[in-house]
């Protein structure tokens, strides 16, 4: 290990021999860090926190601190972080609470910019981008490839589906279906994330079908129940490789608990 002489690492912490820890960083007793991860200077990692391979934490972040929840009473809840994440300066990731599943989780290959807050019991997927000062309240679920603009904030218990994109300074109090672009206060949908889908290898036919599903949901004047029925018909009419994407949007509508932004 490459450990700066001023770093404080509890003897009970489990760090792979290839982990690097910068000056004045503090690692608590219940922390596990896997191979290739680099911890910059002035980083505090505490709680029952598990960090995977090849992550990079820049200076002044607080990882695995107690939840900002008055009900928390010191229970041994968890924070899990996957592989190859980049976490920039002054980020705060909190442990879970026993009132939920007891786990806050962050997946793989996420790009998390400065001052991002991920609260207790949030679940972040893979390959997301959180711009500066994006903030998640407790119990939020973020799908793969989601992009959150700077200073955007997400109300507790909201869900954001895969490939969605949230504009800067947007406050979300409802769920965001997959593929949708939205911004503003109040938040409003403005189409689908076409450029993102192209970059991720979606075919023209797949994008066209997703765009039609968006029109059905947002532009047809149908009620939500009518739109669901229309989406079912669209799914039945498509080949499996196209239908799966419309189905992901349709399925999201069934698990939405706060209602979708329309």
């Amino acid at each position: 290990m490459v450990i700066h002489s001023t770093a404080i690492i509890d003897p009970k912490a489990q760090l792979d021999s290839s982990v690097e820890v910068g000056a004045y960083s503090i690692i608590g007793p219940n922390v596990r860090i896997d191979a290739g991860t680099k911890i910059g200077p002035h980083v505090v990692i505490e709680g029952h926190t598990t960090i995977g391979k090849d992550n990079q934490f820049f200076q002044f972040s607080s990882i695995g601190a107690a939840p900002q929840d008055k009900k928390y009473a010191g229970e041994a809840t968890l924070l899990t972080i996957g592989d190859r994440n980049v976490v920039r300066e002054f980020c705060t990731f909190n442990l879970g609470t026993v009132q939920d599943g007891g786990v806050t989780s962050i997946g793989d290959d996420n790009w998390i910019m400065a001052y991002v807050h991920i609260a207790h019991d949030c679940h972040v997927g893979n390959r997301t981008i959180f711009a500066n000062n994006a903030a998640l309240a407790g119990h939020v679920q973020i799908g793969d490839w989601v992009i959150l603009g700077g200073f955007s904030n997400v109300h507790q218990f909201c869900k954001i589906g895969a490939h969605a994109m949230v504009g800067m300074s947007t406050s979300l109090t409802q769920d965001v279906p997959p593929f949708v672009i939205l911004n503003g206060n109040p938040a409003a949908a403005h189409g689908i994330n076409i450029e993102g889908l192209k970059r991720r290898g979606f075919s023209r036919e797949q994008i066209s079908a997703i765009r039609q599903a968006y029109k059905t949901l947002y532009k047809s004047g149908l009620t939500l129940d009518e739109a669901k029925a229309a989406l079912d018909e669209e799914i039945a009419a498509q080949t499996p490789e196209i239908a799966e994407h419309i189905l992901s949007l349709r399925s999201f509508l069934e698990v939405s608990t706060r209602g979708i932004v329309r």
Side-chain angles (χ1 to χ4, degrees):
M1 287 184 286
V2 180
I3 308 297
H4 194 276
S5 60
T6 60
I8 300 174
I9 301 176
D10 191 282
K12 295 180 182 178
Q14 300 177 44
L15 276 62
D16 183 85
S17 60
S18 61
V19 169
E20 299 180 16
V21 182
Y24 301 103
S25 286
I26 301 173
I27 311 294
N30 298 307
V31 174
R32 293 187 296 166
I33 304 177
D34 211 336
T37 289
K38 298 179 180 179
I39 310 299
H42 298 279
V43 176
V44 177
I45 305 179
E46 55 187 314
H48 288 76
T49 296
T50 300
I51 298 172
K53 296 180 173 67
D54 300 317
N55 297 282
Q56 185 173 12
F57 292 83
F58 283 70
Q59 54 269 28
F60 302 111
S61 285
S62 173
I63 308 299
Q68 297 179 89
D69 187 325
K70 289 185 176 181
K71 298 184 295 299
Y72 182 70
E75 299 91 348
T77 53
L78 309 178
L79 168 66
T80 65
I81 299 173
D83 302 332
R84 299 176 303 279
N85 297 288
V86 175
V87 180
R88 296 302 302 249
E89 300 83 353
F90 296 98
C91 290
T92 53
F93 303 165
N94 293 163
L95 300 171
T97 66
V98 295
Q99 285 75 30
D100 199 331
V103 180
T104 302
S105 66
I106 298 168
D108 303 330
D109 300 295
N110 297 292
W111 182 261
I112 299 174
M113 300 184 200
Y115 294 92
V116 165
H117 176 62
I118 298 178
H120 59 87
D121 305 292
C122 289
H123 298 286
V124 177
N126 306 310
R127 300 180 179 86
T128 66
I129 298 174
F130 289 13
N132 298 328
N133 292 94
L136 308 183
H139 316 281
V140 169
Q141 297 181 27
I142 305 290
D144 296 345
W145 298 102
V146 166
I147 298 175
L148 296 183
F151 293 89
S152 58
N153 51 82
V154 185
H155 192 278
Q156 59 187 6
F157 294 103
C158 282
K159 300 178 179 68
I160 302 180
H163 304 281
M165 184 173 181
V166 178
M168 63 178 290
S169 300
T170 298
S171 293
L172 283 176
T173 59
Q174 291 181 291
D175 298 337
V176 182
F179 314 113
V180 171
I181 290 178
L182 78 164
N183 67 0
N185 287 298
H190 296 284
I192 65 168
N193 187 7
I194 293 174
E195 289 304 315
L197 297 180
K198 288 179 180 177
R199 293 170 187 169
R200 294 159 206 157
F202 281 65
S203 69
R204 180 179 299 176
E205 293 76 16
Q206 288 171 326
I207 293 172
S208 178
I210 293 168
R211 180 185 284 168
Q212 178 56 51
Y214 173 86
K215 290 180 180 178
T216 299
L217 185 59
Y218 283 95
K219 300 295 184 180
S220 63
L222 300 174
T223 67
L224 183 58
D225 286 340
E226 291 169 342
K228 288 178 180 179
L231 289 172
D232 289 338
E233 294 178 3
E234 292 177 24
I235 292 167
Q238 296 290 351
T239 60
E241 59 270 19
I242 294 177
E244 64 174 317
H245 301 298
I246 310 173
L247 180 60
S248 70
L249 190 154
R250 174 66 177 85
S251 298
F252 184 92
L253 301 179
E254 294 302 318
V255 300
S256 173
T257 55
R258 293 192 59 82
I260 64 167
V261 174
R262 295 194 82 186

